[in-house]
Amino acid sequence: MVPNLVTALTGPINELEARVLESMPAIERWFRLEWMEHTPPFYTSVDLRNAGFKLAPVDTNLFPGSFNHLTPQMLPLAVQAAMAAIEKICPEAKNLLLIPERHTRSPEYLANLQCLIQVFNQAGLNVRLGSLDEDLKSPVPLALPDGGELVLEPLLRARGRLGLKDFDPCTILLNNDLSAGTPAILEDLHQQYLLPPLHAGWGVRRKSRHFRSYEEVAKKFAKLLGMDPWLINPMYGQCGQVDFGEATGLECVQSAADQLLAKVRRKYKEYGIAEKPFVVVKADNGTYGMGVMTVRDAKELDEISRHTRERMSVAKDGQHISEVIIQEGVPTHERVADAAAEPVVCMIDRYVVGGFYRVHGERGIDENLNAPGSDVVPLAFAESTQLPRPGAKPGASAPNRFYMYGVIGRLAMLAAAYELEATDPDAEIYE
Amino acid sequence: MVPNLVTALTGPINELEARVLESMPAIERWFRLEWMEHTPPFYTSVDLRNAGFKLAPVDTNLFPGSFNHLTPQMLPLAVQAAMAAIEKICPEAKNLLLIPERHTRSPEYLANLQCLIQVFNQAGLNVRLGSLDEDLKSPVPLALPDGGELVLEPLLRARGRLGLKDFDPCTILLNNDLSAGTPAILEDLHQQYLLPPLHAGWGVRRKSRHFRSYEEVAKKFAKLLGMDPWLINPMYGQCGQVDFGEATGLECVQSAADQLLAKVRRKYKEYGIAEKPFVVVKADNGTYGMGVMTVRDAKELDEISRHTRERMSVAKDGQHISEVIIQEGVPTHERVADAAAEPVVCMIDRYVVGGFYRVHGERGIDENLNAPGSDVVPLAFAESTQLPRPGAKPGASAPNRFYMYGVIGRLAMLAAAYELEATDPDAEIYE
């Protein structure tokens, strides 16, 4: 199934698809060369938006929690990618310690953990779960939707190493985005591999820094294909000190939104796009879809309601939003059964291992779909397990469209690699 | 679909399956460590036989010609494995030169080439076909079953490099088993990667040498799992100077067959196996299934018919058989729609990328199925793209049975790695 692309203007995307397809060997070689220079994040998921006239990543998650949405047919790809990843990091590894989200015990999230455990089991690792919850003093069973159970165990820290009782891992895999900050127990683990690194956590990471790297990657890639990078790059601005609750610092947001809207308007004019531009204001660190606001006119920020201010001021774990990113809005023109849909690409190491559609029946094409009430359609991407079909009409072939999504997803992953290098506190500076 | 295992004695295989499954992380780690020390062949296919009481490889092909039998669902695994392989060998590669079989223009074989080209294209390589046929002076189009075409081009040799017109490859991939000997044009290519290496060709390679390495691997693996290596290892003998046409050297074959049958009989007694043992006599180098003979009693070799002698004396490309391997016969007790079936496992680099069943409706369970009239069932393995299901009843789950086949297939591939190291003419000797 290919979700419908409901828009009059699909020319640019179909042209992009055709160009991506005809350049396939060159693109794959380009990625191969980039990965020689840059280390991919351990695992990544990327939210994309296809506007018909533009296809761009809008969020790059370095602690993906949606492996349960991959269909069983895709899991062998995940296993193979996990094997390749482990082999590079810690080939002698027997044990992997997985550190999940702290407060999330939803059946969905537990199914995600179960899937990760299965994948790493089959890649040749014993996997156990360690909790960052300091109140957890003994192993706690967690019932799984399928009747099985997982066991969450207290972490044991001994000087340079972190483990569990009778469990000394070579690699510690975080599936916790550390948006509440970096726990002391994870610091200075110099004898083990902690992945993703601490500076990938949302306490440190900034979306604007990611999109700065993405812009660099998009420009390189656009040069390779001979196209305008804007077709795959969402423009952005940022503001450092904003308090929505106290309504301070909003002038910066307003001015950035105004400038960005003007830039988008020029681009729309250049491409003959008849839609109304919008920008999205959101926390510059991750908030699980909370605190996201669509702005079509900078004046809207003059009369921002108390309700919206409250909604925007509180992010995950009670953190206040103070830094914001103002991002070019990319409408999603894909529909699954009439509901707005956006593709999510899942990767392990440098490999696309699958994907799915996030669908929201009550949200508009210019709104955040990662919100309560959203749903996933895990089947959509299953066909991507077929190879691209050169010769198919642009826009008409599911494998071809999904191959293109996999390429853009990997561009965002490469940007995350650039970003993590640039922000690495332990990096040696050669300049 | 799991083909029926039609035999009273399935206990040992079900126990092996259960043990393989419960040891999965340990097995995968063991392979990971082995691959740190030993380089896997570029690609491999392995014919297996499941007797219910025993599961063993009977042939390991280093120039697999059956990628067209993989279902589309399996191809992404092949692409991912090809990416991993290329990245290690020649990460900057743009071009791959593929050298196919010389005289084989069957639609089946061309579909195999088409599939290989597609896989390496998507792994980021431009692929062209170069012919070993010296009479080929200009590009020749070859029509494909699906209406497309391939182009076979004359090879161009310039000092240390081999290529085509305007095509200088980093890697040369042989899909030609060189059973007619090593062509001069392939020798001394020190500036490029020639894979598999020349000593993997059937002009040099010997089955008995492979099974010597396989025995070593099987013993290591059996130790890991705490089981009798015989359960996965076919015993063998060999004879060096046999001329079936002239009926000379047959005493050696007879005596080896007699000894081997006695050894098999003892094993059958130990395990309470009520079947009649047999051995298979075949050329010690590859013959595409030609010149294979089933022997149940060494006396049969006394009265070997003229017809059989003629059949046994001519191998592929008109080469005479002079060295033979006498191998413990492993009956196949798997049936697809009443026809004898044997699983074939396909691998690229260290990864299982799929498999299929070879089926022959007119051959017995103790005969070679790789013979005219054989057929393939490519669907059978499709379910192996699901992960093993711990907890399923041994013998009852297709993914679990196929996972076990993938493990034994990889043991044979590892044996080929040992074998190629031991027979490498350019290897430095440290001892």
Side-chain angles (χ1 to χ4, degrees), chain A residues 32 76 87 91 93 124 350 385 387, chain B residues 32 76 87 91 93 122 124 350 385 388:
Chain A
R32 206 192 308 132
E87 189 191 300
R350 69 202 59 188
T385 61
L387 299 183
Chain B
R32 206 193 307 134
E87 188 190 300
Q122 200 178 341
R350 69 202 58 190
T385 61

Side-chain angles (χ1 to χ4, degrees), chain B residues 182-322:
Chain B
T182 304
I185 200 168
L186 296 182
E187 277 172 355
D188 303 314
L189 291 171
H190 301 304
Q191 296 175 22
Q192 287 162 304
Y193 294 90
L194 178 63
L195 295 166
L198 292 176
H199 67 285
W202 277 127
V204 183
R205 202 177 161 221
R206 292 295 174 266
K207 289 190 171 121
S208 53
R209 185 66 195 75
H210 174 71
F211 282 99
R212 197 165 109 201
S213 291
Y214 182 76
E215 189 172 27
E216 188 185 342
V217 168
K219 278 182 182 164
K220 278 193 187 183
F221 182 79
K223 200 172 163 195
L224 177 76
L225 260 64
M227 64 176 218
D228 180 355
W230 179 76
L231 291 173
I232 55 170
N233 183 37
M235 299 183 291
Y236 72 96
Q238 66 186 113
C239 287
Q241 294 193 314
V242 182
D243 187 326
F244 280 95
E246 302 293 326
T248 57
L250 292 182
E251 318 77 48
C252 174
V253 180
Q254 198 164 30
S255 138
D258 207 35
Q259 284 173 34
L260 191 54
L261 283 166
K263 284 208 271 183
V264 178
R265 229 169 270 124
R266 275 198 297 278
K267 276 295 183 184
Y268 277 22
K269 203 173 162 194
E270 181 186 336
Y271 282 91
I273 297 160
E275 311 205 14
K276 191 166 170 55
F278 66 99
V279 298
V280 173
V281 179
K282 53 188 175 182
D284 206 6
N285 52 357
T287 57
Y288 267 72
M290 283 179 273
V292 179
M293 186 178 164
T294 299
V295 176
R296 288 169 199 80
D297 187 326
K299 289 205 192 82
E300 290 170 36
L301 291 161
D302 280 339
E303 44 214 36
I304 187 168
S305 72
R306 166 150 291 276
H307 172 74
T308 303
R309 283 202 278 122
E310 273 169 11
R311 193 170 58 80
M312 289 298 293
S313 66
V314 178
K316 201 192 161 205
D317 288 325
Q319 302 281 304
H320 274 253
I321 292 177
S322 67

Side-chain angles (χ1 to χ4, degrees), chain B residues 358-376:
Chain B
R358 184 181 292 121
V359 173
H360 203 305
E362 288 149 31
R363 290 284 176 125
I365 60 167
D366 55 359
E367 287 184 297
N368 173 33
L369 302 187
N370 192 359
S374 79
D375 206 350
V376 294

Side-chain angles (χ1 to χ4, degrees), chain A residues 24-25 28-29 32 36 72 76-77 79-81 83 87 91-94 118 122-124 350-351 385 387-388 403, chain B residues 24-25 28-29 32 36 72 76-77 79-81 83 86-87 91-94 122-124 350-351 385 387-388 403:
Chain A
M24 187 175 67
E28 295 299 335
R29 176 174 182 258
R32 206 192 308 132
M36 283 175 72
L77 275 172
V79 170
Q80 199 174 293
M83 285 175 165
E87 189 191 300
E92 304 193 19
K94 264 187 190 168
Q118 195 186 5
Q122 200 177 340
R350 69 202 59 188
Y351 305 105
T385 61
L387 299 183
Y403 175 68
Chain B
M24 188 175 67
E28 296 298 337
R29 176 174 182 257
R32 206 193 307 134
M36 283 174 72
L77 275 172
V79 170
Q80 198 174 295
M83 284 176 166
I86 287 299
E87 188 190 300
E92 303 194 19
K94 262 187 191 170
Q122 200 178 341
R350 69 202 58 190
Y351 305 105
T385 61
L387 299 182
Y403 176 69

Side-chain angles (χ1 to χ4, degrees), chain B residues 4-316:
Chain B
N4 294 317
L5 192 58
V6 187
T7 172
L9 193 66
T10 56
I13 275 307
N14 289 348
E15 198 187 315
L16 177 63
E17 184 186 303
R19 205 168 292 190
V20 162
L21 225 50
E22 75 193 14
S23 309
M24 188 175 67
I27 291 171
E28 296 298 337
R29 176 174 182 257
W30 181 81
F31 274 120
R32 206 193 307 134
L33 295 176
E34 287 287 334
W35 298 131
M36 283 174 72
E37 304 287 325
H38 307 282
T39 305
F42 189 84
Y43 51 9
T44 315
S45 75
V46 175
D47 296 356
L48 299 180
R49 288 199 154 214
N50 186 346
F53 55 83
K54 176 164 190 156
L55 171 66
V58 294
D59 202 11
T60 302
N61 187 346
L62 299 180
F63 304 90
S66 46
F67 282 95
N68 53 314
H69 298 317
L70 302 183
T71 59
Q73 288 73 30
M74 298 185 227
L75 288 181
L77 275 172
V79 170
Q80 198 174 295
M83 284 176 166
I86 287 299
E87 188 190 300
K88 280 184 300 182
I89 296 160
C90 200
E92 303 194 19
K94 262 187 191 170
N95 298 331
L96 179 84
L97 173 59
L98 182 58
I99 298 187
E101 285 291 331
R102 217 166 141 168
H103 302 297
T104 313
R105 296 194 181 179
S106 73
E108 288 274 292
Y109 183 68
L110 295 183
N112 167 63
L113 293 179
Q114 185 184 23
C115 179
L116 278 174
I117 290 170
Q118 195 187 4
V119 165
F120 288 105
N121 260 183
Q122 200 178 341
L125 293 163
N126 300 307
V127 185
R128 283 163 63 179
L129 296 173
S131 173
L132 282 177
D133 184 350
E134 287 163 23
D135 297 335
L136 191 118
K137 301 293 183 201
S138 58
V140 171
L142 303 170
L144 284 167
D146 71 357
E149 72 170 33
L150 299 175
V151 178
L152 199 57
E153 298 179 64
L155 291 173
L156 293 179
R157 174 78 191 243
R159 262 172 270 128
R161 296 188 78 86
L162 185 67
L164 305 174
K165 189 163 182 257
D166 305 321
F167 191 75
D168 184 31
C170 177
T171 302
I172 301 156
L173 182 60
L174 289 173
N175 197 249
N176 180 314
D177 68 10
L178 306 179
S179 46
T182 304
I185 200 168
L186 296 182
E187 277 172 355
D188 303 314
L189 291 171
H190 301 304
Q191 296 175 22
Q192 287 162 304
Y193 294 90
L194 178 63
L195 295 166
L198 292 176
H199 67 285
W202 277 127
V204 183
R205 202 177 161 221
R206 292 295 174 266
K207 289 190 171 121
S208 53
R209 185 66 195 75
H210 174 71
F211 282 99
R212 197 165 109 201
S213 291
Y214 182 76
E215 189 172 27
E216 188 185 342
V217 168
K219 278 182 182 164
K220 278 193 187 183
F221 182 79
K223 200 172 163 195
L224 177 76
L225 260 64
M227 64 176 218
D228 180 355
W230 179 76
L231 291 173
I232 55 170
N233 183 37
M235 299 183 291
Y236 72 96
Q238 66 186 113
C239 287
Q241 294 193 314
V242 182
D243 187 326
F244 280 95
E246 302 293 326
T248 57
L250 292 182
E251 318 77 48
C252 174
V253 180
Q254 198 164 30
S255 138
D258 207 35
Q259 284 173 34
L260 191 54
L261 283 166
K263 284 208 271 183
V264 178
R265 229 169 270 124
R266 275 198 297 278
K267 276 295 183 184
Y268 277 22
K269 203 173 162 194
E270 181 186 336
Y271 282 91
I273 297 160
E275 311 205 14
K276 191 166 170 55
F278 66 99
V279 298
V280 173
V281 179
K282 53 188 175 182
D284 206 6
N285 52 357
T287 57
Y288 267 72
M290 283 179 273
V292 179
M293 186 178 164
T294 299
V295 176
R296 288 169 199 80
D297 187 326
K299 289 205 192 82
E300 290 170 36
L301 291 161
D302 280 339
E303 44 214 36
I304 187 168
S305 72
R306 166 150 291 276
H307 172 74
T308 303
R309 283 202 278 122
E310 273 169 11
R311 193 170 58 80
M312 289 298 293
S313 66
V314 178
K316 201 192 161 205

